[in-house]
Amino acid sequence: MIDLLFFSLILALLHPFSLFHAAKAYEQAGMMLKEMQKLPEAVQLIEKASMMYLENGTPDTAAMALERAGKLIENVDPEKAVQLYQQTANVFENEERLRQAVELLGKASRLLVRGRRFDEAALSIQKEKNIYKEIENYPTCYKKTIAQVLVHLHRNDYVAAERCVRESYSIPGFNGSEDCAALEQLLEGYDQQDQDQVSEVCNSPLFKYMDNDYAKLGLSLVVPGGGIKKKAAATPQAKPEGTTATAAEEDEDEYAGGLC
């Protein structure tokens, strides 16, 4: 098998149509190494093949090779797979094939979430959202906003989560959608440290039937403070006749209704 691998490479380098055929040979050699369970080495050769495809002016073939390499290494080295998927997305984006680009970015985002690399995931999802907005796929933008909010809340960054929702009001149809209403309810529950409300939203079909990695984020979301509400309802106590409420009590009454 090893002799065949090196023979393929030498044959390609001697081929009169060298660049494309050399790239093809590197890719085939990488697949041989894959069969030998030498995955890092296989990926290295396929990456080399991809670079040669690009030099040869065949970006589609280069992108397919990179995606194939990402799939090979995903379960062994997710970090490397993320890098390969992002490279593939860049190739497609440079060719203005945005639908293919955003699909690969989605794979990278999910791997980042799976690895709990939330800072990077937040940036990756934002890039996905920007592309979906550019191609006017607005309903998917709503779903990406949900994913963003869940990632930010797992980063314990309520301000960033709230900003995501606020900025999404500019996306046509978002304001008034069920996605928007659910996110407002989620943020209210999180801010009020109401675990029951947060769990109710995250267990709704809208959240449970998202991509599995994001559904898991919802189901595992815990509010700060152990779920003890900031403004827990207290049994009103009778006041002596003629007394008036204090300023603090008036403030409490003013905000007792929550955010909405």
Side-chain angles (χ1 to χ4, degrees):
M1 178 71 78
I2 295 175
D3 289 342
L4 180 59
L5 187 157
F6 286 109
F7 176 75
S8 298
L9 291 177
I10 291 168
L11 185 63
L13 293 172
L14 294 175
H15 198 284
F17 306 104
S18 59
L19 197 57
F20 180 84
H21 290 85
K24 198 71 180 171
Y26 271 106
E27 188 177 2
Q28 289 171 347
M31 297 310 292
M32 290 179 192
L33 286 171
K34 175 248 182 183
E35 294 301 323
M36 298 163 63
Q37 297 301 308
K38 295 181 179 292
L39 296 182
E41 295 88 343
V43 166
Q44 191 174 6
L45 288 184
I46 296 172
E47 278 190 282
K48 174 69 175 175
S50 175
M51 290 172 59
M52 296 172 79
Y53 285 133
L54 284 174
E55 289 176 37
N56 187 63
T58 50
D60 284 0
T61 311
M64 287 188 289
L66 284 172
E67 183 179 3
R68 192 175 296 118
K71 288 177 181 176
L72 285 182
I73 204 73
E74 187 173 305
N75 293 326
V76 177
D77 187 350
E79 187 172 346
K80 181 64 177 177
V82 166
Q83 178 192 328
L84 290 165
Y85 289 145
Q86 289 172 338
Q87 284 179 254
T88 311
N90 287 337
V91 173
F92 280 131
E93 195 170 0
N94 289 338
E95 294 300 306
E96 297 185 351
R97 296 180 58 179
L98 297 183
R99 285 178 173 80
Q100 289 89 340
V102 79
E103 182 182 341
L104 271 296
L105 281 174
K107 290 185 177 184
S109 299
R110 290 190 293 273
L111 280 178
L112 289 168
V113 166
R114 206 173 302 164
R116 304 190 72 79
R117 294 161 59 187
F118 293 131
D119 290 350
E120 295 168 80
L123 294 173
S124 183
I125 296 167
Q126 181 62 51
K127 188 166 185 181
E128 284 185 75
K129 188 174 169 182
N130 291 342
I131 293 177
Y132 279 119
K133 191 173 181 180
E134 186 174 346
I135 63 178
E136 300 184 352
N137 186 340
Y138 300 129
T140 304
C141 288
Y142 310 163
K143 305 306 177 193
K144 293 304 170 184
T145 303
I146 293 176
Q148 278 183 303
V149 167
L150 289 171
V151 166
H152 283 311
L153 293 181
H154 273 272
R155 294 174 62 239
N156 298 314
D157 193 341
Y158 175 85
V159 173
E162 188 180 39
R163 185 170 61 246
C164 279
V165 175
R166 189 169 62 248
E167 289 174 350
S168 294
Y169 290 145
S170 65
I171 299 172
F174 178 74
N175 194 10
S177 68
E178 63 172 343
D179 306 76
C180 179
L183 284 172
E184 288 174 344
Q185 188 181 0
L186 175 65
L187 288 175
E188 180 187 54
Y190 190 91
D191 186 50
Q192 296 298 315
Q193 298 182 346
D194 186 342
Q195 184 66 55
D196 289 341
Q197 182 167 322
V198 167
S199 296
E200 182 181 351
V201 175
C202 291
N203 276 284
S204 67
L206 187 64
F207 281 64
K208 285 177 71 175
Y209 297 124
M210 294 180 70
D211 286 322
N212 195 42
D213 293 296
Y214 300 122
K216 285 180 179 178
L217 283 188
L219 294 173
S220 61
L221 184 60
V222 177
V223 302
I228 300 170
K229 297 182 185 179
K230 286 182 181 176
K231 304 177 182 66
T235 305
Q237 295 181 357
K239 295 184 178 65
E241 268 189 11
T243 60
T244 59
T246 65
E249 287 171 330
E250 288 173 355
D251 287 345
E252 183 71 22
D253 288 340
E254 181 182 352
Y255 292 103
L259 296 177
C260 296

